[in-house]
Amino acid sequence: MLRGDKIGLRARHEDDIPVLEAELYNDVVNASRADGRPWRPVSPGSAGAKFVVDDTDQANLAFSVVDAESGTLVGAASLWGIDNHHRCAHIGLGLLPSARGKGYGTDVVAVLCHYGFVVRGLQRLQIETLADNEAMLRSAERNGFVREGVLRSSAWVLGEFLDEVVLGLLSQDWKPTQTPTTPTSPTTPNS
C-alpha cells in the first residue's frame, strides 16, 4: 500500500466495487462529470462495470483510496494512459460524497505523483478536469501542476458543452510535500 498523510492507495478489493458503483458511478450527475463517456446503466459485477479491475492492463492502474487511520474506503484513484515510451500518464480520482472537502484529494494527487515519478520513473503527469471543478483544480495546483490550457466546449455533460482544463507536471518541477511510505523489506543487521 502507498500511504500519504491522510490516505492510503491499495489494490481494489472485491467488496469495494459495490460501494464505488453505488456512490460514484450510479450518481449520474457525478459520473457524467467525471467520465468522458455518456453514463449508462451497468449490471453489478458485469465485465463492463467501471470499477472492476483488469490486472492484465498495464496502461491503466486502479487503486482504492482508504482513510490512512481507519482503513475505510473513501474513493477511487487511477494512473491511466500510461505510456512507457514517452514516460507519461494521466491522473484520475473520485471521492465518495462523505469524503469530500476533507483534503483527501490533495493527498491522493501527492501519492500518485510519488508513484508516477519515483516508482514508475515517469517524466510527465497530466490531469484533465472540467473548468468548474474547483476541488480538483486546487488539489492539482497544490501539488505543483500548472494550467497548460483550456479546451473550450470540449466536454458534453448533461446537455451542455463545458470547458476542460489541462494541467501538467514534469518530474523535474515536482516538489513532494511529503514522502509517501511504502512497505519495506526486512533488513538484516550488518555484521
Side-chain angles (χ1 to χ4, degrees):
M1 178 183 303
L2 297 167
R3 295 183 189 273
D5 291 335
K6 296 182 177 195
I7 60 92
L9 296 180
R10 64 162 168 75
R12 178 85 29 87
H13 294 173
E14 192 70 29
D15 56 348
D16 295 343
I17 295 170
V19 175
L20 296 172
E21 286 177 350
E23 294 195 42
L24 291 180
Y25 187 76
N26 287 331
D27 174 351
V28 178
V29 172
N30 180 64
S32 296
R33 290 178 53 80
D35 196 333
R37 297 166 293 197
W39 184 90
R40 65 181 182 86
V42 177
S43 301
S46 72
K50 178 171 173 64
F51 295 102
V52 173
V53 176
D54 177 359
D55 286 327
T56 64
D57 184 357
Q58 295 298 308
N60 301 293
L61 302 177
F63 298 93
S64 286
V65 182
V66 296
D67 179 87
E69 289 183 22
S70 69
T72 304
L73 179 69
V74 296
S78 62
L79 200 62
W80 61 275
I82 300 169
D83 181 329
N84 290 319
H85 177 72
H86 296 292
R87 294 179 45 208
C88 61
H90 303 260
I91 286 178
L93 71 101
L95 296 174
L96 302 180
S98 62
R100 296 174 190 156
K102 298 181 179 181
Y104 290 137
T106 299
D107 206 28
V108 169
V109 173
V111 175
L112 286 172
C113 287
H114 172 83
Y115 179 74
F117 293 137
V118 176
V119 178
R120 297 296 298 243
L122 299 176
Q123 166 63 18
R124 174 185 168 79
L125 293 174
Q126 183 169 310
I127 295 173
E128 300 87 8
T129 190
L130 296 176
D132 65 353
N133 187 348
E134 291 298 325
M136 187 66 202
L137 292 168
R138 229 178 3 261
S139 292
E141 290 172 340
R142 285 180 179 158
N143 279 287
F145 281 80
V146 175
R147 292 184 194 214
E148 296 180 333
V150 174
L151 304 173
R152 297 178 305 136
S153 293
S154 64
W156 177 253
V157 180
L158 300 173
E160 65 179 318
F161 284 105
L162 299 175
D163 294 349
E164 290 182 285
V165 176
V166 177
L167 302 108
L169 180 61
L170 303 179
S171 63
Q172 64 265 27
D173 298 332
W174 175 58
K175 294 176 179 51
T177 55
Q178 82 259 348
T179 304
T181 58
T182 53
T184 57
S185 57
T187 57
T188 54
N190 293 335
S191 331

